[in-house]
Structures are given as structure tokens and as C-alpha cells.
Amino acid sequence: MTGSVVSPVLVGRDDEIAVLRAAYERARAGGPSTVLVGGEAGIGKSRLVATATGELPGDPLVLSGGCLELGSEGAPYVPFVAVLRDLVRRLGRDRVAALLPPGGAALGDLLPDLGPAPARYGPARLLEEMLTLLARAAEARPVVVLVEDLHWADASSREMFAYLARNLAGAAVLLVGTVRTGELAARHPNRRTLAELARGGAVAHVVLGPLEPRHVTALLAAVDGRPPDPARSVRVHRRSGGNPLFVEALSTAGETPPGDLRTLLLARVTDLPDPAREALEAMAVAGAELDDDLVRAVAGGPARELGDALGDLTERELVVARENGYAIRHDLIREAVYDALPPPRRRRMHARYAAALADRAPADPNVSATALAQHWTAAGEFERALPAAWRAAERAGRQNAYDEQLHLLGLVLEHWPKVPEPAEAIGAGRTVVLERAASAAFNAGRSGAGVAYGTAALDEVDPAVEPERAARLLGLRGRLQSRIDGGGRDDLRRAVALAPPGASRELRARLLSALAFVEFMALDLDDCRGHATQALDIADRLGDDALRAPALLVLGALHGTHGDLDQAAGAFTEARRAADAAGDAHTFLTTFQWESTFLCDAGRYEEAVELARTGQSAAGRLGQARSRGSMLANARGVPLLFLGRWDEALHVVDEALALAPPPLYVAYLRLIAADIAHRRGQTELGGTLLRQITEFAVHTVGAAEAKAWLALLRLARALDEGDLDAADHIVGEHLAKAPDAWPPQETARLAVLGARVQRARRAAAPRNRRVQAETAERLADLARMLGSVRTTTPVIDALRLTFRALTGSGELPAHDAAAAAWRDLGNRHETAAVLAEAAAVALASNNRPGARSRLREARAIAADLGAAPLRARIDDLAARGRLTDAEGGTPDHAFGLTPRELDVLRLLAGGRTNQQIAAALFISANTVATHVTRILTKLGAASRTQAAAKARESGLLDGPP
């Protein structure tokens, strides 16, 4: 088979090219500009981008790199290493180095040509340096950065791409990524990242579909160099499905091509001479660009034969020649060739490639230890794979590429039993590997894996022989467990006991701060303060910001818990400074989260929203959008909930959940959604969310705040559904333990909801002495519980005023004071709820104008919020108080009953006594008796029971009251 099978022109993609050009012009104007090009394999993504970027005005600097399928989990920053290498080749090493910060660049860890990297640097430094480098390069001429095959991106590259997409605004840089659709499993992290990018307003999307028949005709004409046969064009279009790669392959396949499209691609390989086929197989095994020497080392054969083979492959357009070597033209061809290799031959070629890389490694610092580990593993040479994976893991850890480090350490542990003397091979024992794996999992946010590795390491350590090592491992496992479910206190207490004051001061300070953090989350505040103070004392004596930051964080939180926001703000500010100086991103971001939470607790909702938003932006910049970013989303969503900005809150929640955060964070985010669903009357959705949260809570040791919120939601739901026994049971279940186990604000909320439950119980059984006695006792207990809350904030003050109004003598000023407190805070839903209760008090004293004005305001708020249950309660109260129609109304055509008589009949049919009907309709019992007499007369009934039966038969009880 000879002759071109690749079209010299791109057909049918004018609209897509226009999108890329428009994005480029936005970038040149300083606007944020990222384009994702998606489509199935062979659809022409790379061809489209190459054509579009080759025709851009302004002579842009086009830099490209591709993600690799083989080793995608273990090799960090693969495409960006290629981008850096491309930049150095185009501008020269000295010019690139001049664009980097003085004193050593972390990017030197990716490309040693740029010089030695600092011994230690924070996780954000590589991201920031890459951003700065591209922005500075773009000052001279526009830059286009192309990252191919994002579906195979390693975790660090995925993070780098997303970081650049969010932060390149203002630089003349167009960022382009290509993505093969249908390649990723539903829960693959790359799918989540691409979905997150898809929600960004600055990201344009190009989805390549199949070519239309007329475009297939044009493509065949370009390939054949002559007008196509129309019938043949129809056959090729049908056979190829409009996929350009398959169209080109079918153009020379004859009239009876093989049945499978992958087989069709292999048909172009079967008639290759042996040297050419072996060279192609070598490139397929490597999965990367190869120079002449590497092709020869893997494929074998004399130099002359190899040169002819590469020339033949290039002529047949199976291989493309690049500046540094050769690569298979398309991944589908590479995959087909690789899959067709017999396993023994595939292993031998992996071994040859690994050996060739190992020979180069001493003289070439760019040789990847990860590639060596992957290829020795594929070759089944585990004794060689083990040390390579260990070295690669060490380098990934130095680069803060923790996902890749964790994968490589897992590879080490997987190979461990397959190697005769594994500890000698890597110079470390299995316990060290397990400990590093647990630490990598902590840094990568993979808490479940970290607990497993930490437990395995602890099983191999004798605390009596190595107390500090055991303490370190227990501390790590405790912190990991805390992230999962708020637990971990037992591990951390044992760790502190194993590291007494005479032990390493740094270790003890870290453990004390970690224990104080977990104790604060569990509301064990007395012990928490002592441990945080001890940690800060050690940190101050050592002058160590890394130790000071977490201790200050907890002490700031303690000030906030007691309502001293000025002292809390000072401690958080200092903790933020110390954490930033120490490169402690976790503590740095947590200061935003906790300070925002305390602002929210104080009713400073707008400030809380803005501070949490700032923290979320910082989390994205620091590569922690999934972990701390999701908790900052919660800190932002809660005040939005209270402000009544529910759609905005749900948008924040949905964005955070799309990143698949850890279970504890998922629970908090779902609580926001469940609360909004309850307030909107979305019963089915709210029930589903509550079941999901309950399932988490049942299997969780800590998470006191989440469990408190869950209990309050269950209580509010039971109250709204009229299940007063269940509601009272929930109140009793938490009454005694809430002051010790719950945050102060949730305890105060329990008191208010509990008071509402007791009012409802009294109203439902006004003459039941047992119920009256029980409710009186319960209200007294609730008052004592509320009195035990020592924290004073505007929100808790509003809750106290509401409780006082609900449990007092029923004076209208008390309700108005509570409503005013909520109005001042901006909590509209609670304002409307208290106004409705105030209107009921006004009606009971026959203050109809006062009731009407309060209900009017409450209804306007409920309608604006879309709070259907609250609006229904308000409308029901207005109807029962006859505030919507004139007194008496017009007679109903059915039996001549007036609207008021229908109201009485409905309650009578429900089994209510005259006294209960009077209370429900805000009229006297004598008036009810008069209405009942008239109803019996009009219905021709001899008794209340007969009247109820006749009403049901006649449909008088149907429809709204």
C-alpha cells in the first residue's frame, strides 16, 4: 500500500475553527480564554487544533504537550514537561531562565535544564511559576498552550490545567485542551475536572461531530486527488460513520474492507516490511516520542535498515517526524498495534525500552524514573521496577505531586512480595513505605486509603520500642479519621501520651494542635483550650510559624465560640499569616472557613459570604478546591441560606459536590440542600437528602455539628407534617445532651423548635390535662437548656427573644421584638415565621388590623422566597381568621352553608370539639355552638356524626379550606 491516505486539507470544520480564533483574539485582548476540544477518537481534534493554530495572526508561540495513557497515574506534570521543553527549545535556556524567579525555580524539578530546584517548596509554587512563566513569555508575543489527551492527564497535570484556566486572565495566552469523549468512567477524577471547567464562563467548548456526507465526499477528493465516485462516497460515509480517520483508512481499503474498524487500521500495518513493523511496534510500546537510538534499541536491526523503515513509515503516514524524534500519527493506530502484540513479545519490548532508558539515565537527568518503573513492571521485571518506583515516588513527593506519589508507593507495596530482598533493593523497610503512603494519602485528600496504610504501618511498630514513631503514625491516622467522620480523638490522645514533654518538641506541638483541632470539632472545649495553649507555648519557644499556625487557628475558634469576634479575628489573622509563611495551605484555608462560620453565627451574613468566597478562590489557587474548598463552599452556602438567597446557595453546593469531596464535607453540603428543600416544601427531595445524611451519621463517630443540624431538620419536618409525637420524641432525645454535645446556636435553635412543638401539642389537645402538664414540664426543661447557653451573639439573642415570645404570656410586643431582631439580621424566613406567630396572637385578642398587617408582610416574604409551606401556613391563618374575605361571606350554593360554616364543618368532621374549633378559628365557643346548630339544620342532620357523614357524601369536605 503506497500513496497518501491523509487529507492535505481540513474539511467541514469552519465553525469550530472560528471558535478557536475568537478565543485567541479574546486572549490577545487580555481576557481569560480556554478552549476544550472534545470528540470521539479519530474525529480530528488534533488536526483541527493544528490547522487553527497554524493560521493565527500575530505569530503566536505555540507550545504543546500530550498526556500519556501508559503511566498516567504515576508520572506528574507529563504534558507540561513537554511544554517547558518546547519553550526552552524555542526561546533558549537563558531567555526562559530570565523569566523565572531568581534564587532557584521549582520548575527545575520538572526540567533540570532550568537549574536546581529549591530543596523544599509549597504545593502552589509550581503552579504559580508556570503561570508567571507563560504570562511573561506572552508579553513579547501571544502564546498558545496545547495539552493533548486531557482524558489521560495525571492528577498534577489535571490540577495545573485547571489552575491555568482559572488564572490566565490578563495574559495573552490561549489554553487549549483536547479530550476524547467516551473514554472516562463516570466517577473518574478527570471527568470531574472537565465538568468543573465546563461550568466556567471563560471556557469555550468545541465538540466535533461526524462529518456530513458532503464533507466525506470532499475529504475523499482531497485524499485521492480526483473527484470521487458518488456511490463510493455514500458507502464510505455509511461505513465510517463520518469519522475522518476511518474515512482516510477506507479510502485505500478496497470495496471489501475488514469488518472491524480497528482491524481496518491494522490492515495498513500487515504488509509492512519487518524492520518497519518492528519500529512501529517499538513506538507503540513506548507510548511516547522516540529518537533514532531508542527506536533501534527497542526494535533492533542495523542503522541502515532502521533509516529505511522510518522513511517507509513516514511515507505511509503512519508515523510523523518531529524535532526530537518520531511518533505514531494517531493514538488509535498506536493502540491497535499495541493490542495486537503477543504478550511475550510485548513484555520483551517493554524490557528493551526500560533497559535503554536505564542506560541513558546516568547522563540524562530528563529520564523519568516513573517511566522506568512502568516499563519494568509491564516487562514483569519486578526487581528492577521496585527501586525505580521508589525513586519516582520520592521525586513526586518533592514536587508535591501526592496523587502520583501515592500511586507509586502502592506500586512498591504491590511488588514487595515479588522481590527476594525488597528492603535492600530500595534501602528502606516496608514500614517506612507504609508510613510514606499514609502521609501521601493525607496530602492527596485520600483519607480512606491513608487510614488503611497507617493501620498497616502501626501493626508493624512496637510502641514500647519506638514510641515517637508510633506517636507520629497514630497522630497521622487520627487526623485522617477526623477528615472522614470527625473522629480520631482516641488515636491522637494515645499519640500525645506517647510523646511526653521530654520527647521531640516539634512532634509534641504538632500532635497537641491536631488533638485540639479534633477536640474543637467534637465540642470538647475545655481540653481543647489546654492542648492548643500548650502547642502555642512550644511553637513560640521554638519560633516556628509552622507550629504556631494550627494552634492559633484553634484558639481563634475558641474565641469565636464564646462570641468574642474581635479576639477571634486577631487570632485568625495571625494564624493566616503564620500558615502562609510556613506554606501550610490546610491551616491557611481553614482560617477563612472558621472565621466565616463565626461571622455567620453572629448574623454578619454578607461578611461571611464574602470571606468564604475569598477562601474558595484561595483554595482553587492552592490546588485544594476539592478538600478545603468544599468546606469553604459550605461556609459560603450557610449564610446564603439564612439570607434567603437559596438558588445561589444551591449553585455553590452543586459546584462543590461535583468535585466529589470527602464524605464529611458531602454531608455538610447536603444539609444545606436538605434545609432549602424543606423550606421550599420539596418533600421528596428533602426526604432523599435526609436519608443520605442519616446513613452517613449512623456510621460516624464525630461530626457533632452536622448531627445537630440533621436532628433539627428531622424535628422541623415532623412538626410541619403534624407528627407531634415524633417531634416531641426528637426534642426529648436531645434535650439533655445538647448543651454539652451541640454548638451553642444549634442548642438555642432546639429550644425554639421545641417550644413550637409544645404550642402545637397544647393547641391540638386544649382540654387534655396530661398533655398540658407534659408541655409545661417540657417548656421548663427547654428554658433551663437555653439558660445554659453562655454564648451571646445577635443570632442567639434573636433565638432567645423568639423563645420568650413563644413561651410567655402571649403579648404582641414580645413577638414584634423577635421579628425585629430577625429582620435586622436579614434572616427573612425566620422573620416571616415569627410575624405569622405574632399575627395569631393579634387575632386571639381580636386585633384584626394588627394581624392583617403582619400577615401581609409575612406572606410577601414567603412568596418572594418560594417558601411554600410557610406561605401555606400564613394563608391558612388568614383564612381561619377571615382576613381574606368579609365576615360571613356569601352563602355557598351547597345546602346554603356560608364559608365560615364550611370551616366549622370541616373541623367538626375531623373530630374537633367546640373549644378546639374556637381556638383554631379565633372565635368564641358560643359562636361555634351557634354555627353547629345552623349546620345541622341546613344539612338535615340529627347529630354531629350524621352531619360529618353527609358532608363527606356530598363532597363538602373536598377542596381547600
Side-chain angles (χ1 to χ4, degrees), residues 277-296:
R277 189 176 64 255
E278 288 168 0
L280 191 67
E281 290 169 348
M283 284 181 264
V285 165
E289 186 177 304
L290 297 183
D291 58 30
D292 295 44
D293 292 339
L294 282 174
V295 175
R296 186 181 304 111

Side-chain angles (χ1 to χ4, degrees), residues 533-600:
T533 303
Q534 290 179 56
L536 183 60
D537 181 58
I538 295 172
D540 285 340
R541 280 187 275 127
L542 294 174
D544 190 333
D545 275 338
L547 299 177
R548 295 184 80 241
L552 283 165
L553 170 72
V554 175
L555 290 171
L558 288 167
H559 290 310
T561 298
H562 291 102
D564 191 342
L565 289 192
D566 289 338
Q567 277 197 280
F572 284 133
T573 299
E574 178 58 18
R576 225 171 354 253
R577 183 209 62 76
D580 191 31
D584 180 357
H586 180 271
T587 301
F588 177 76
L589 295 171
T590 304
T591 63
F592 288 101
Q593 176 198 333
W594 285 7
E595 186 172 0
S596 174
T597 299
F598 289 118
L599 286 170
C600 180

Side-chain angles (χ1 to χ4, degrees), residues 65 81 101 136 165 168 272 339 354 372 383 449 456 458 547 592 611 662 721 935 958:
V81 172
R136 289 180 178 173
L168 272 171
L272 286 172
D339 291 344
L372 279 170
E383 286 187 67
L458 280 164
L547 299 177
F592 288 101
L611 186 63
E721 291 174 349
I935 290 167
D958 299 338

Side-chain angles (χ1 to χ4, degrees), residues 820-847:
W822 290 117
R823 193 184 292 110
D824 290 345
L825 289 169
N827 190 324
R828 301 175 69 207
H829 188 273
E830 200 62 35
T831 301
V834 174
L835 281 170
E837 290 164 345
V841 170
L843 276 172
S845 61
N846 204 30
N847 179 358

Side-chain angles (χ1 to χ4, degrees), residues 610-630:
E610 289 311 309
L611 186 63
R613 191 197 310 275
T614 301
Q616 266 193 291
S617 298
R621 178 174 58 82
L622 293 169
Q624 293 204 23
R626 175 178 173 271
S627 51
R628 302 317 299 166
S630 59

Side-chain angles (χ1 to χ4, degrees), residues 57-74:
D59 187 29
L61 182 63
V62 180
L63 309 171
S64 62
C67 306
L68 303 178
E69 181 179 18
L70 181 67
S72 62
E73 292 180 287

